[in-house]
Amino acid sequence: MADDGLQYTYSGLTLQPHPWSAAVLEVKAAVEQLAGCAFNSCLLNHYRSGEDHMSWHSDNEPLYGQQPVIASVSFGDTRDFVLRHNIHRTHRLTVPLASGDVLTMSGTTQQHWQHCVPKRRKVLGPRINLTFRNIIRPEGPELALARTLAKSSCLPTIDKQLQVPTTAEHLPNTDRNTKMSGADFELRVQDGGIYWGSERVSIKGVNWFGFETADFALHGLWCTNMLQLLDFTAQHFNAIRLPFSCELALNMDARQPGNIDYAANPELQGLTTGQVVDRFIQECARRGLLVLLDMHRLAAAQDIPELWYSAEYPESAVLQGWKTMVLRYKDCWNVFAADLNNEPHGCASWGDGNLRTDWQLAAARIGAVILEANPRLLIFVEGVERNGCVQPCENCWWGGHIAGAAKAPVALPVEGKLVYSPHVYGPDVFGQPYFSDPSFPDNMPDVWSRHFGFIKQEGHGPAICPGEWGGWAKEGGSDAAWQVKLADWFVEHGITDSFYWCLNPNSGDTGGILQEDWATPHQHKLDIVARAHPNPTKWPQDEVTPAAPAPEDCQVESTVDPAAFGGAPAACAAEPAAAGAEPAAPVAAAVPAAPLSAGEVEVTEVNAWDEGAVRCFQLEAKVTNTGPGPASSMRLRVAAAEELQKAWNATQLPDEGGFWVFDFPDWVGPSGGLAVGANVVVGLIVKGEKPTEFAVV
């Protein structure tokens, strides 16, 4: 719509205007009063849903004049309006425009900034946008003057109403003549803490997963922009734990990432997976975000394995994968540490001398290879799920049990580099027995101290930095009480470093910092993390340049093949009875354990969410032994859905004609079987139709 005699030209298309309607004239009068100027045209855009979008552009055509005033009015569903600087492309501003909002751009905004309305797949409703402008009449001298001025230079002055800085001191350090190298930044461990020079630091980190999956890309890029999410992350955190797979590390530049909306992420168009990781590392450095590299799994499409190696990815492949990653980012100052292996569990042991399963010995071997390639990195070592040598009956989390380190610490060739990084979760993830204690959550500090806190409390030397903690933390719930207790315990015991799980809203058993729109944060979670880290360290902001190493430089000669070791554990043999000890009283013969003959199955839907058009479910199947004696094994059959994304606390057996089949987790056998009346809770994340048939057969 426009005054008589005007026409609108955009992208080579010339449109003739409609006459003004009474409704639009009413809106125009209100907008003119707010903007302080008159308008002679209005462009009306209808966005049917979040799939409709507007690409990057500037309204810098000569027919608008040199410094146009443009006012935009929104009606309907809220949509993000994003601006980016023409030169400093990483400098962005996102403005959510709700129904009734008016946004005004003026001054030299169009000369120095582009704007867009990106896709938002979570937005289902329509939006109507009215954009008011002044068009210079084609017959007037003003248009010729505007064409002349458009070719001249102008100062980068942005309309103050937008509050978008453009002077160099407010931009990321992209104009510096020098940049930091990897050698310019190094963290070290001393006195149980992490130090930067003489300053004790506080790493306030968050996990962002996706690269470790079969997408080979950060999750969320299917609907939002990576740089915007990094802007948000840098406002609330100072580090990111970046999960990846050994499969990715060995083939970084031989594959393309999947599930990326390139309209929302045009800067990633045409990049290999390795180049997307490079860009991520670079953008983190520009925002002052440290990066912890985390080998989260071996094969991208498989679950987290119990051990650090497999038949497909032997230890030699793991070492090569690590050396490839470390050399590629050796000169990136913000890549500061390596988390050697995610969540050893099941048969993984600590300090028992069994080369096949001893994670303490393996961590020393992997850490030595990494430090030889880059001696400035910190080495993060997670725990195991249980340790029969130290606490044989203690329930713990995958990667959470470090008690064995008291007698069998990890030995590294470079001093001041060892960080123990346990994982610890609350009631939302799994119902550990200590969550049912009448004194919960006041009983938790003793549990945490036994599992990992003693490292700091007893002055063993290495730092403690939990690599994962989190949960839904719903208001008034037990998980929220657990998280607050843990945050306070961190502060009380001087544990200043941790990584919260996670940024992603699509973590089935915890949710994320972000809600399902990948834009709105859960403020209560941000508050809990801030409670744990009241004074996070501010890092530099500078450029980095990743460089892919030559393949021959990544080869590693492994002197140990754990899979070939056939010996028995050495360190946990029973000690002989002391001389003169009284003989034990006779006990009744134990009933031998047998396969579960009768079991009751209770299924609970813990959570549900959408991934695109596909529904996902997190389920718990509580199997109770109702038979006559202890059970050594079971066959839990579950009607198969479209895809089983994850299963835990169970051993998956081969499928049987449309059914998934599960046995007990491995800890049941050594414990003498599942006692009568006892139960085991099997966790599942499934994609597609929710299974309705669960049975013990």
Side-chain angles (χ1 to χ4, degrees):
M1 296 182 183
D3 293 351
D4 292 340
L6 296 177
Q7 60 186 21
Y8 174 74
T9 300
Y10 176 72
S11 296
L13 179 66
T14 299
L15 303 176
Q16 300 301 322
H18 292 276
W20 293 101
S21 70
V24 174
L25 283 175
E26 184 177 350
V27 175
K28 175 174 173 286
V31 171
E32 288 174 338
Q33 185 174 359
L34 288 172
C37 66
F39 299 102
N40 61 13
S41 68
C42 178
L43 182 67
L44 294 83
N45 284 315
H46 177 212
Y47 298 80
R48 295 163 295 183
S49 69
E51 290 293 326
D52 287 347
H53 66 287
M54 185 70 70
S55 300
W56 289 109
H57 68 283
S58 296
D59 293 336
N60 56 358
E61 292 88 348
L63 75 162
Y64 299 139
Q66 177 59 15
Q67 295 188 9
V69 177
I70 300 173
S72 176
V73 188
S74 296
F75 298 100
D77 272 19
T78 299
R79 292 293 296 270
D80 286 342
F81 183 87
V82 185
L83 297 103
R84 71 178 181 188
H85 197 274
N86 288 344
I87 299 174
H88 306 284
R89 291 296 182 95
T90 63
H91 197 58
R92 301 190 177 201
L93 176 68
T94 299
V95 183
L97 295 178
S99 188
D101 283 350
V102 179
L103 177 121
T104 303
M105 297 182 285
S106 59
T108 58
T109 304
Q110 305 306 318
Q111 279 69 51
H112 300 285
W113 295 80
Q114 292 182 318
H115 53 272
C116 74
V117 179
K119 285 186 178 181
R120 292 291 185 261
R121 291 179 179 170
K122 296 293 184 180
V123 177
L124 301 178
R127 170 186 184 251
I128 294 177
N129 174 254
L130 279 63
T131 302
F132 293 92
R133 301 180 178 89
N134 262 310
I135 297 177
I136 300 174
R137 294 185 180 275
E139 67 273 12
E142 297 90 345
L143 184 58
L145 176 61
R147 293 185 189 278
T148 301
L149 291 174
K151 297 178 182 179
S152 64
S153 61
C154 57
L155 294 175
T157 304
I158 301 302
D159 183 2
K160 293 182 179 179
Q161 182 175 351
L162 287 177
Q163 297 182 348
V164 181
T166 58
T167 53
E169 62 267 25
H170 291 104
L171 289 170
N173 296 338
T174 52
D175 294 328
R176 293 167 61 115
N177 294 323
T178 61
K179 66 178 182 180
M180 292 175 60
S181 68
D184 295 328
F185 183 87
E186 182 176 4
L187 301 180
R188 299 190 65 84
V189 174
Q190 63 186 65
D191 302 325
I194 299 176
Y195 283 78
W196 180 18
S198 60
E199 176 188 352
R200 173 71 182 275
V201 305
S202 175
I203 298 173
K204 182 185 180 185
V206 68
N207 288 264
W208 185 358
F209 67 81
F211 276 121
E212 84 286 6
T213 71
D215 287 337
F216 296 101
L218 291 164
H219 279 185
L221 302 189
W222 53 65
C223 66
T224 193
N225 178 266
M226 182 180 79
L227 307 186
Q228 294 177 37
L229 286 183
L230 286 175
D231 287 342
F232 167 83
T233 303
Q235 292 175 18
H236 300 282
F237 299 91
N238 64 4
I240 295 177
R241 180 172 178 256
L242 185 68
F244 66 92
S245 67
C246 187
E247 182 179 351
L248 179 149
L250 295 173
N251 299 278
M252 294 190 74
D253 292 313
R255 65 174 76 252
Q256 296 297 121
N259 220 358
I260 296 179
D261 181 353
Y262 291 109
N265 294 274
E267 61 275 359
L268 304 182
Q269 182 79 48
L271 301 185
T272 66
T273 290
Q275 290 167 335
V276 174
V277 179
D278 294 347
R279 184 64 184 268
F280 171 84
I281 299 291
Q282 291 174 312
E283 297 298 341
C284 284
R286 289 167 179 154
R287 291 160 174 79
L289 287 167
L290 298 187
V291 176
L292 167 61
L293 298 176
D294 156 43
M295 188 171 283
H296 206 75
R297 59 178 68 172
L298 298 176
Q302 297 178 14
D303 287 337
I304 298 168
E306 294 185 8
L307 299 173
W308 63 95
Y309 67 93
S310 67
E312 184 180 5
Y313 293 94
E315 184 172 302
S316 57
V318 171
L319 296 177
Q320 182 180 342
W322 263 121
K323 192 170 183 181
T324 301
M325 294 292 286
V326 170
L327 291 178
R328 189 177 186 113
Y329 302 111
K330 183 175 183 178
D331 201 40
C332 297
W333 65 268
N334 62 322
V335 177
F336 80 106
D339 190 339
L340 303 187
N341 182 67
N342 183 60
E343 296 186 342
H345 63 281
C347 64
S349 59
W350 187 296
D352 64 2
N354 185 341
L355 287 179
R356 184 184 290 271
T357 63
D358 194 331
W359 169 233
Q360 175 244 353
L361 295 178
R365 295 193 298 272
I366 300 171
V369 169
I370 291 173
L371 289 171
E372 182 181 14
N374 187 354
R376 73 176 182 85
L377 294 182
L378 295 179
I379 301 299
F380 278 51
V381 179
E382 298 180 27
V384 293
E385 184 182 4
R386 65 186 64 87
N387 192 307
C389 300
V390 183
Q391 295 165 339
C393 299
E394 185 85 306
N395 289 316
C396 200
W397 302 99
W398 291 7
H401 202 309
I402 305 180
K407 295 182 179 180
V410 174
L412 296 175
V414 180
E415 292 186 4
K417 293 299 176 182
L418 178 58
V419 179
Y420 288 126
S421 185
H423 291 188
V424 57
Y425 284 102
D428 276 358
V429 175
F430 184 75
Q432 300 283 19
Y434 34 76
F435 297 149
S436 300
D437 190 289
S439 63
F440 176 86
D442 293 336
N443 64 317
M444 291 310 306
D446 287 342
V447 176
W448 297 325
S449 294
R450 288 198 302 274
H451 290 175
F452 55 85
F454 73 93
I455 291 288
K456 184 170 180 61
Q457 295 161 7
E458 298 176 7
H460 287 268
I464 290 287
C465 177
E468 291 184 18
W469 64 286
W472 290 98
K474 294 179 180 178
E475 185 176 357
S478 59
D479 196 80
W482 179 89
Q483 290 196 40
V484 169
K485 192 72 175 180
L486 181 62
D488 291 345
W489 185 79
F490 284 165
V491 174
E492 179 183 354
H493 291 277
I495 297 176
T496 60
D497 314 295
S498 78
F499 288 81
Y500 192 83
W501 186 273
C502 55
L503 189 69
N504 307 51
N506 60 321
S507 174
D509 46 4
T510 65
I513 290 290
L514 295 174
Q515 299 182 32
E516 288 192 4
D517 61 1
W518 283 91
T520 309
H522 286 290
Q523 187 59 48
H524 68 287
K525 291 191 178 187
L526 290 176
D527 292 342
I528 290 173
V529 180
R531 185 178 184 130
H533 298 283
N535 298 298
T537 302
K538 185 174 179 60
W539 312 113
Q541 296 180 358
D542 213 330
E543 294 287 312
V544 296
T545 306
E552 58 269 21
D553 292 337
C554 303
Q555 299 301 313
V556 178
E557 292 188 11
S558 178
T559 58
V560 175
D561 181 7
F565 181 72
C572 289
E575 296 182 2
E582 292 291 331
V587 295
V591 177
L596 183 64
S597 58
E600 177 183 290
V601 184
E602 178 184 348
V603 180
T604 302
E605 180 182 312
V606 178
N607 191 23
W609 64 97
D610 293 322
E611 288 190 7
V614 181
R615 193 70 170 161
C616 299
F617 299 90
Q618 180 190 351
L619 307 172
E620 288 185 349
K622 180 180 178 181
V623 181
T624 302
N625 181 4
T626 59
S632 59
S633 63
M634 74 169 177
R635 289 174 57 78
L636 172 65
R637 294 213 319 171
V638 181
E642 177 180 328
E643 179 184 344
L644 176 64
Q645 290 192 316
K646 185 177 181 182
W648 60 94
N649 209 36
T651 301
Q652 188 171 4
L653 302 176
D655 296 354
E656 295 181 354
F659 288 87
W660 298 316
V661 185
F662 301 93
D663 194 355
F664 286 137
D666 54 55
W667 57 262
V668 171
S671 67
L674 189 69
V676 176
N679 65 73
V680 60
V681 180
V682 178
L684 304 172
I685 295 180
V686 300
K687 192 172 184 179
E689 185 176 351
K690 182 171 67 173
T692 57
E693 186 175 345
F694 292 75
V696 172
V697 296

